């Protein structure tokens, strides 16, 4: 049950009164009897405001879901529509009239108040035995004092993001034949091709690039239009890059993953294939100065903020 006592309920004593509401109840026992006769099981305070929201303290003298405790709850009075909610934590107070200090009972958890759940609290807030024990000082001359503090979480600080796999389509590969490889200086781009409703390009450095220069064929994968990847939105692409063996069909394959965002539009491999392997006559990677490169997208994930 929401609000049941447990390890997440913190009890303490403090001298200062509640910041948000102090609720003094006179003729407590008579008031409870009148409420019961009228069919009411709780006493509701006047409203108070915290975090641009209206709240009330709700006291269940005979307990809510329990019969040996007074239950204390806080209720959100605002109208909440749809799936919106207000996140808040709270602390209840009971005055010890003998020591003039407050017993505090706090739920350490942050609760979500929404249209379907406007009320949260602690069912075992105060033991009925202790409350009516004169030596405890909680009920004196048939009067008592309760209180509450509500701590609303700033909604602008709450962000929810989701990483989800995009629905797979049927056509997820592109094959690019490159002719006259030896004449290319220093690199060449493929024609633009479409996979998953996005435009892509490949780039090849036949003599290598950066850390692969002079030793490897370097291969890169470009996202042409990434202007929609804003506000932290990112695209992850699991892609297989193949250099076709035109003799045996034993292709050189590398499976890699790339993140794309508003600033990053490409990823690739400086060391895709050693030049010695590329030019090996027993391999069919380079045939009549032609190579065949294939890019196949296995999976795509989108990371985006949803609220």
């Amino acid at each position: 049950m929401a609000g049941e006592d447990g390890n997440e309920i913190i009890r303490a004593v403090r001298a200062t009164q509640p910041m948000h509401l102090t609720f003094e109840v006179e003729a407590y026992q008579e008031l409870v009897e009148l409420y019961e006769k009228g069919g009411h099981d709780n006493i509701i305070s006047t409203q108070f405001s915290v975090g641009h929201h209206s709240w009330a303290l709700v006291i269940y003298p005979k307990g809510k879901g329990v019969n040996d405790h007074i239950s204390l709850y806080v209720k959100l009075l605002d109208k909440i529509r749809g799936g919106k909610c207000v996140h808040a934590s709270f602390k209840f107070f009971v005055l010890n009239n003998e020591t003039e200090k407050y017993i505090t009972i706090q739920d350490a958890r942050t609760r979500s108040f929404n249209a379907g759940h406007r009320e949260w609290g602690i069912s075992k807030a105060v033991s009925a035995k202790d409350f009516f024990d004169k030596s405890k000082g909680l009920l004196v001359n048939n009067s008592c004092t309760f209180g509450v503090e509500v701590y609303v979480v700033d909604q602008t600080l709450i962000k929810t993001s989701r990483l989800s796999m995009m629905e797979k389509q049927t056509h997820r590969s592109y094959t690019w034949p490159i002719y006259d490889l030896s004449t290319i200086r220093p690199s060449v781009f493929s024609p633009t091709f479409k996979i998953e409703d996005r435009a892509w390009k490949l780039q090849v450095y036949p003599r290598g690039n950066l850390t692969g220069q002079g030793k490897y064929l370097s291969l890169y994968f470009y996202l042409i239009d990434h202007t929609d990847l804003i506000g932290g939105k990112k695209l992850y692409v699991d892609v297989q890059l193949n250099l076709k063996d035109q003799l045996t069909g034993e292709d050189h394959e590398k499976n890699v993953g790339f993140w794309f965002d508003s600033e990053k539009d490409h990823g690739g491999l400086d060391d895709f294939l050693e030049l010695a392997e590329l030019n090996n006559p027993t391999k069919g990677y380079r045939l009549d100065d032609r190579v065949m490169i294939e890019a196949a997208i296995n999976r795509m994930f989108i990371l985006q903020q949803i609220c």
Side-chain angles (χ1 to χ4, degrees):
M1 175 181 291
E4 277 193 333
D5 218 339
N7 294 332
E8 294 177 285
I9 304 303
I10 302 168
R11 298 174 184 271
V13 175
R14 86 178 200 193
T16 54
Q17 69 182 55
M19 290 188 298
H20 300 140
L21 176 74
T22 300
F23 187 28
E24 298 176 356
V25 183
E26 298 178 350
Y28 177 82
Q29 295 188 74
E30 288 83 352
L31 183 62
V32 170
E33 289 175 7
L34 285 172
Y35 267 62
E36 284 185 328
K37 286 180 181 178
H40 303 290
D41 63 350
N42 59 48
I43 301 170
I44 302 177
S45 73
T46 54
Q47 73 177 43
F48 61 97
S49 296
V50 179
H52 306 292
H53 297 285
S54 295
W55 309 84
L57 172 63
V58 184
I59 304 169
Y60 290 87
K62 297 297 179 71
K64 183 176 182 180
V66 294
N67 54 23
D68 55 354
H69 282 74
I70 294 171
S71 303
L72 298 177
Y73 280 70
V74 64
K75 184 174 184 177
L76 176 66
L77 302 178
D78 297 347
K79 290 184 179 179
I80 301 292
R81 293 184 175 85
K84 300 202 174 196
C85 60
V86 177
H87 302 281
S89 59
F90 41 84
K91 182 185 290 183
F92 298 111
F93 296 74
V94 185
L95 178 65
N96 183 327
N97 292 276
E98 298 298 325
T99 63
E100 296 186 344
K101 291 184 179 180
Y102 289 89
I103 298 168
T104 65
I105 314 104
Q106 180 178 5
D107 190 336
R109 296 160 290 191
T110 297
R111 298 297 195 174
S112 295
F113 295 80
N114 52 52
H117 206 140
R118 293 181 171 277
E119 199 175 284
W120 284 99
I122 301 172
S123 58
K124 294 182 179 180
V126 183
S127 162
K129 180 181 177 182
D130 289 345
F131 186 76
F132 291 105
D133 184 340
K134 291 183 180 180
S135 66
K136 302 291 184 181
L138 305 182
L139 183 66
V140 175
N141 296 326
N142 205 20
S143 296
C144 52
T145 301
F146 296 93
V148 65
E149 290 178 353
V150 177
Y151 314 100
V152 178
V153 178
D154 186 348
Q155 301 298 295
T156 62
L157 299 179
I158 299 175
K159 305 295 181 186
T160 302
S161 60
R162 177 181 297 151
L163 179 63
S164 55
M165 187 166 67
M166 299 176 67
E167 187 175 345
K168 189 171 182 178
Q169 297 182 354
T170 53
H171 182 67
R172 283 200 167 199
S173 65
Y174 170 75
T175 302
W176 176 31
I178 305 175
Y179 300 94
D180 303 319
L181 187 71
S182 61
T183 65
I184 295 170
R185 302 278 194 282
S187 72
V188 63
F189 279 96
S190 74
T192 300
F193 58 93
K194 280 250 185 150
I195 298 179
E196 300 291 357
D197 295 325
R198 287 187 178 271
W200 311 88
K201 273 188 178 182
L202 293 168
Q203 183 185 26
V204 164
Y205 285 81
R207 293 167 186 79
N209 184 46
L210 300 175
T211 59
Q213 192 166 13
K215 298 176 288 185
Y216 293 90
L217 178 142
S218 301
L219 179 59
Y220 302 93
F221 190 70
Y222 279 79
L223 174 61
I224 301 304
D225 184 5
H226 56 113
T227 55
D228 65 314
L229 300 179
I230 56 175
K233 186 177 180 181
K234 295 183 179 183
L235 181 70
Y236 181 79
V237 181
D238 173 29
V239 60
Q240 183 171 299
L241 299 172
N242 301 337
L243 182 63
K244 311 292 285 185
D245 187 321
Q246 301 170 71
L247 292 176
T248 66
E250 296 179 2
D251 303 341
H252 176 72
E253 301 175 350
K254 285 204 174 179
N255 217 91
V256 287
F258 305 122
W259 279 105
F260 299 94
D261 55 32
S262 59
E263 297 181 354
K264 182 176 173 59
D265 67 348
H266 73 281
L269 297 166
D270 300 344
D271 57 351
F272 179 69
L273 179 68
E274 289 186 22
L275 294 180
E277 281 291 287
L278 174 67
N279 298 316
N280 187 337
T282 65
K283 305 282 188 177
Y285 299 137
R286 184 173 182 171
L287 193 63
D288 298 328
D289 209 19
R290 180 189 69 184
V291 295
M292 303 281 289
I293 293 175
E294 181 183 65
I297 292 179
N298 299 318
R299 290 178 298 271
M300 292 201 340
F301 294 83
I302 192 76
L303 173 67
Q304 58 188 328
Q305 184 176 302
I306 57 176
C307 70

